[in-house]
Amino acid sequence: MFLKSLFISLLVLRMASMSVCQFDLIRSLLGITHIQGTLFCSIDGSMIYGLMTPTFPNAAVQMQCGAGIVVSSVKTDATGTFSILLDAPQLLLSFLLTNCSLVVTTPLVDCNTALPSFGALVSPLQLVGNTFLGLFNVTNFIPVAFRFLPIL
C-alpha cells in the first residue's frame, strides 16, 4: 500500500511539473501586447513643458501596420489617455517596432481651433519592457513622439 501511495504521489508531482513547463512554453510563445499613452492638444500631441497643456479627449487613435492597415482602433478617454491591447506572439515584436505606428485621425482643430483642420499625428512605437499578468507575458509599448503630417 505504501509503494502504491508513493507511486501515485510521484506521478502527480511529475504531471504538475510537466504542466508548469507547458505553461512556460505557452507564455513564451504567446503574450499580450499593451500600448498606452496620453495625447495632448498640441501640434505634436505632446505636453509643452512649463505650460498647462490640455489633453485631447475623444480622439481616434489607430495602430496601423504596413501600408496603412488598421490593426486596432480606440478613442482617448476624458483625460486624453488611450490603451490598446493585442494578442500577439512574441515573434511579432520586431515587426511591430519596424512596421507599425500610432495614427491620430481626429483633426487637431477638434481640441483647439487654432490648430490645423487637416493632417494627422503619427508616432512610431517604443518597447518599454515586459511584465507578467498571470500566465501571460505582457509586452509594453509607448508612442515615441507624435509628429504632425499635413497629408497622411
Side-chain angles (χ1 to χ4, degrees), residues 105-126:
T105 57
T106 303
L108 292 173
V109 72
D110 285 9
C111 72
N112 182 341
T113 56
L115 294 174
S117 61
F118 55 89
L121 295 173
V122 179
S123 175
L125 299 171
Q126 178 181 353

Side-chain angles (χ1 to χ4, degrees), residues 70-83:
V70 177
V71 175
S72 182
S73 183
V74 297
K75 284 198 175 242
T76 59
D77 64 13
T79 65
T81 302
F82 64 90
S83 179

Side-chain angles (χ1 to χ4, degrees), residues 83-133:
S83 179
I84 298 172
L85 287 175
L86 302 170
D87 291 329
Q90 294 291 319
L91 302 173
L92 292 179
L93 294 181
S94 63
F95 177 80
L96 291 174
L97 288 169
T98 58
N99 296 302
C100 299
S101 58
L102 297 174
V103 179
V104 179
T105 57
T106 303
L108 292 173
V109 72
D110 285 9
C111 72
N112 182 341
T113 56
L115 294 174
S117 61
F118 55 89
L121 295 173
V122 179
S123 175
L125 299 171
Q126 178 181 353
L127 177 65
V128 292
N130 294 323
T131 55
F132 287 97
L133 180 64

Side-chain angles (χ1 to χ4, degrees), residues 14-28:
R14 174 72 176 146
M15 288 174 55
S17 66
M18 284 178 56
S19 63
V20 169
C21 291
Q22 289 170 344
F23 285 136
D24 285 341
L25 178 62
I26 291 169
R27 184 180 347 178
S28 67

Side-chain angles (χ1 to χ4, degrees), residues 39-48 108 121 145-148:
L39 188 61
F40 292 91
C41 186
S42 64
I43 193 68
D44 64 358
S46 64
M47 182 173 30
I48 302 170
L108 292 173
L121 295 173
F146 283 100
R147 67 185 192 285
F148 178 73

